[in-house]
Amino acid sequence: MQYGFVIDQTACIGCHACTVACKTEHDVPLGVNRTWVKYIESGTWPDTKRAFSVLRCNHCSDAPCVSICPTGALFRRDDGIVDFDTSLCIGCKSCMQACPYDALYIDPLDNTAQKCNYCVHRVEVGLEPACVVVCPEGAIISGDLNDPTTPISRFFQDQLAGDDRLLQRSPEQGTRPNLWYKGVDKAAIDPLGAVDPGDGGIWGEPSPSFMTVDLTPPANGSSNGRKKLSSSSNGKPEGPPRVVYNTEHPMPWGWRVSSYFLTKGISAGIVMALALALLFGADSQSAFARWGAPLISGIFLALTGVLLVADLKRPDRFHYILTKGNPGSWLVKGAWILSAHAVILGLWFLFGLVGASFLPVFIWASAAVGLGVAGYTAFLFGQAEGRDLWQSPKLLWHMLAGALAVGGGAGLLAAGVFDLGGPSRRAFAWALVAGAAMLAVVSAVELFSRHPTPNHAAAVYHLTKGAHAREWWLGGHVIGVVAPVVLGVAFLAGVPLWAAQLGGLAAFAGIWFADDAFVRAGQSVPLS
């Protein structure tokens, strides 16, 4: 059994009856929608036309929102419907990043993720979804795709006998969606197929904010992956189709996620840099090695936990990640890694206080787990399949390089408090320089690599030339790469320690700027 939808856009009149019926059936608050109608317009007056597309959850056979959900709040039923249990939701918003269709939202009343659930309460008693019943044109067809007697199966059989092609939204994402469109304008279901003019659309007021997405081609003539301007029948320039009505989808993740990249990078990096210092001949029985390093790492690990919990819409349920965890989610695996790191740091600190002789065991164990602390987010972002920029395999190396750079910087700053010998200082300086240089290499490889999808190309445009370019280049690379490398090399060449410490501070700031630009640019490309 597999329930699905066909939406006949040749019959749809854009009346919003499906949206209203859905809101009424499920008490959906104002400002969010489980199903909505998008309007686009093309042409130049008087030769213009409007196209509609009804958008909602696609009830995918391989639903990425289910895979990434850390508590099993989202699940796929035996009948193929992707449903949710709000009592398990912690409001992490990861499902919103995983869905390539913008189908999920955070309910403003109970702060949990919700979406179209195919009106399972109706289906289970033999009724059709509310949107199907209310549509005045019969444009929404539902039913079991595997039952040849259902209207939706007969519809498919009729289509096979005709010439009309059924289209799907973003099938290249590999989610195997179970929603098809008949007669839809391709630009209406392609998030990059129409330009948002930024004027608020019909029935709306302009509301510029940091979340406003500007996908218009730049003035230098680059089309940012879009079709070039053509001429209409009256000889006037005709631009790409324009979005004139849509529902708003603000960025789910912001500065807390960017900051958590930095804090966990410092927590992991300082122990990785200390392990490197042991190879340089550093003393494993110094005060820094005994209790200073685990204390500093533990403080930044605690800050990481605070940021993670603070970013949840239901922070009161944060413990569900461990008590009700979905082992397939990298949010849960990350929680396990962070917990293991905390245990090792705690034991290292306690045994260090009593002067135990086997401290190198804890240092190397913590450095090994630190690789996981620094790098697991790359796999978490890899599960966010709606954000193509985050799918890059080079993200793991960026995370590890950043942790090494800020870890070396933290060690150099600690030298102002702890009496660190020459081998430790040189090791931390090398970690700073090597980590920052690796960041530059990873960025160069990413920028000159092929962009596999239009979504990825558009996100790179926003990162390097668009709204986030200044933060990426000036903050992430001038401050975060050039300054640490120059100041770190200067220290290794004989300049006083303060130069390397300034380089460490620059690495902190630069990593935050680069990661913040990366997080925001990935979310700047619309999914609906």
Side-chain angles (χ1 to χ4, degrees):
M1 178 178 286
Q2 174 62 65
Y3 280 103
F5 285 113
V6 170
I7 300 178
D8 184 356
Q9 296 296 166
T10 64
C12 176
I13 60 175
C15 67
H16 299 273
C18 53
T19 303
V20 175
C22 180
K23 278 184 169 289
T24 302
E25 188 75 24
H26 299 280
D27 292 326
V28 179
L30 291 174
V32 291
N33 295 288
R34 294 190 180 193
T35 184
W36 68 98
V37 184
K38 176 183 175 183
Y39 292 4
I40 67 168
E41 292 180 351
S42 58
T44 303
W45 188 87
D47 300 320
T48 60
K49 65 177 181 178
R50 176 177 293 173
F52 307 124
S53 56
V54 178
L55 306 181
R56 55 157 65 107
C57 173
N58 284 233
H59 296 280
C60 306
S61 295
D62 187 10
C65 60
V66 172
S67 301
I68 202 173
C69 178
T71 62
L74 283 157
F75 58 94
R76 190 169 180 271
R77 292 162 42 112
D78 292 339
D79 55 14
I81 295 172
V82 178
D83 201 357
F84 58 88
D85 182 353
T86 56
S87 69
L88 294 176
C89 181
I90 61 175
C92 66
K93 297 164 287 186
S94 59
C95 57
M96 299 169 68
Q97 307 288 23
C99 176
Y101 310 109
D102 257 347
L104 290 116
Y105 64 90
I106 295 295
D107 187 285
L109 300 181
D110 67 1
N111 289 321
T112 60
Q114 298 185 25
K115 65 175 192 65
C116 162
N117 70 339
Y118 211 94
C119 286
V120 291
H121 62 292
R122 296 174 59 89
V123 171
E124 288 175 345
V125 296
L127 300 176
E128 292 183 310
C131 60
V132 176
V133 174
V134 78
C135 180
E137 301 296 323
I140 305 175
I141 306 168
S142 66
D144 182 4
L145 294 163
N146 296 334
D147 182 352
T149 66
T150 59
I152 193 170
S153 291
R154 292 197 298 270
F155 182 89
F156 271 101
Q157 293 167 8
D158 294 340
Q159 291 302 303
L160 290 175
D163 296 328
D164 290 335
R165 286 186 57 208
L166 297 180
L167 300 179
Q168 291 181 301
R169 293 170 63 195
S170 303
E172 70 279 0
Q173 294 290 344
T175 62
R176 293 190 292 155
N178 289 296
L179 189 154
W180 288 263
Y181 293 88
K182 175 186 176 182
V184 69
D185 188 321
K186 290 183 179 181
I189 58 174
D190 177 3
L192 298 179
V195 171
D196 182 355
D199 59 2
I202 56 177
W203 307 316
E205 295 293 333
S207 54
S209 73
F210 75 94
M211 295 180 292
T212 300
V213 177
D214 178 15
L215 289 174
T216 54
N220 62 12
S222 171
S223 63
N224 191 19
R226 299 179 184 281
K227 295 180 179 179
K228 294 184 178 180
L229 298 181
S230 58
S231 298
S232 62
S233 59
N234 60 13
K236 296 180 180 179
E238 181 178 333
R242 305 168 297 280
V243 178
V244 294
Y245 182 80
N246 201 1
T247 193
E248 185 178 3
H249 294 277
M251 289 185 182
W253 288 346
W255 67 268
R256 293 184 183 88
V257 173
S258 309
S259 301
Y260 130 87
F261 278 22
L262 174 62
T263 56
K264 78 181 182 70
I266 295 174
S267 179
I270 195 168
V271 294
M272 292 161 57
L274 180 58
L276 180 65
L278 294 185
L279 297 178
F280 274 70
D283 181 10
S284 64
Q285 293 298 317
S286 67
F288 180 75
R290 285 190 294 109
W291 59 269
L295 177 62
I296 296 171
S297 180
I299 290 173
F300 281 96
L301 182 62
L303 287 173
T304 299
V306 169
L307 288 167
L308 287 173
V309 173
D311 196 53
L312 302 178
K313 288 296 185 178
R314 291 300 301 265
D316 55 310
R317 298 177 176 177
F318 77 94
H319 57 281
Y320 285 10
I321 293 181
L322 295 176
T323 60
K324 305 178 186 291
N326 164 24
S329 169
W330 271 96
L331 270 171
V332 174
K333 294 176 182 178
W336 293 344
I337 294 171
L338 294 176
S339 298
H341 190 47
V343 170
I344 295 173
L345 290 175
L347 293 173
W348 175 6
F349 180 77
L350 292 175
F351 281 106
L353 288 178
V354 300
S357 61
F358 49 84
L359 291 182
V361 173
F362 290 112
I363 295 174
W364 287 106
S366 187
V369 175
L371 292 173
V373 171
Y376 84 84
T377 309
F379 299 98
L380 169 61
F381 272 46
Q383 286 188 308
E385 295 186 21
R387 311 298 179 182
D388 287 4
L389 178 66
W390 298 350
Q391 308 303 306
S392 171
K394 295 172 278 294
L395 181 56
L396 173 62
W397 301 107
H398 171 87
M399 297 288 183
L400 296 178
L404 189 62
V406 296
L412 291 166
L413 290 168
V417 178
F418 294 90
D419 184 16
L420 300 183
S424 293
R425 294 184 179 190
R426 286 194 297 274
F428 292 145
W430 276 114
L432 173 67
V433 172
M438 287 170 59
L439 286 172
V441 171
V442 171
S443 293
V445 172
E446 175 67 32
L447 294 179
F448 289 104
S449 297
R450 182 182 66 88
H451 305 314
T453 66
N455 183 303
H456 187 279
V460 170
Y461 171 84
H462 285 296
L463 183 67
T464 61
K465 299 179 181 179
H468 309 292
R470 180 178 298 178
E471 186 178 25
W472 173 253
W473 291 115
L474 178 59
H477 289 78
V478 175
I479 296 176
V481 172
V482 176
V485 169
V486 170
L487 294 171
V489 169
F491 168 72
L492 291 170
V495 173
L497 178 64
W498 61 263
Q501 291 175 325
L502 282 178
L505 290 173
F508 288 6
I511 287 293
W512 189 90
F513 283 127
D515 289 340
D516 188 63
F518 182 80
V519 169
R520 294 186 186 278
Q523 300 174 86
S524 294
V525 183
L527 302 178
S528 64

